[in-house]
Amino acid sequence: MARITCEDCLEAVGKQNRFKLIHLTVQRVKQHRQGEPFLVEGKNKEIVMTLREIAASKVTFANIDSFPEGKENSKNTETENELSSDNS
C-alpha cells in the first residue's frame, strides 16, 4: 500500500489546516478505541489507519459524529431493556 503523507490528509481536510487535521484525527482515534471499525483496509497501526481514512475522505468533519451513533443507540436500548426487566 502506498505511503500516507500529511499533505494527502490536508487536501482532504481542506484549507491546509493542520490544527483541524489533528482534531479530526484525535476524534476518530477515540472512536476506534471504543470499537469502531476501520473504513479502509490495511494492517497499519491505529494512527496510520485513521490518517488513511481521512486521506480517502471517508472520515470528514461532516460525518465524524455519525459513526458512533449506532453504538450509542444500541447501548441505550440495552440499558433501557435492563432497567425495564429489573422493574418488572
Side-chain angles (χ1 to χ4, degrees):
M1 187 175 267
R3 191 174 167 171
I4 189 80
T5 64
C6 187
E7 285 74 23
D8 295 334
C9 298
L10 288 172
E11 287 177 18
V13 171
K15 297 184 181 178
Q16 300 294 316
N17 191 333
R18 291 176 186 255
F19 185 73
K20 283 185 171 182
L21 175 61
I22 290 168
H23 276 276
L24 185 62
T25 304
V26 167
Q27 194 170 353
R28 185 62 179 157
V29 166
K30 286 180 181 177
Q31 289 177 350
H32 289 308
R33 290 184 179 172
Q34 292 174 351
E36 190 70 26
F38 293 106
L39 301 176
V40 294
E41 292 185 22
K43 294 182 178 179
N44 298 108
K45 292 187 177 181
E46 178 179 67
I47 186 71
V48 174
M49 293 298 289
T50 300
L51 290 173
R52 288 187 189 285
E53 289 177 332
I54 293 170
S57 297
K58 296 195 177 210
V59 175
T60 62
F61 281 105
N63 67 5
I64 187 74
D65 291 329
S66 65
F67 291 118
E69 188 174 87
K71 281 193 160 193
E72 289 178 8
N73 285 341
S74 67
K75 285 181 182 178
N76 290 340
T77 305
E78 289 175 7
T79 304
E80 289 173 3
N81 288 340
E82 289 175 5
L83 290 174
S84 65
S85 66
D86 289 342
N87 291 336
S88 56

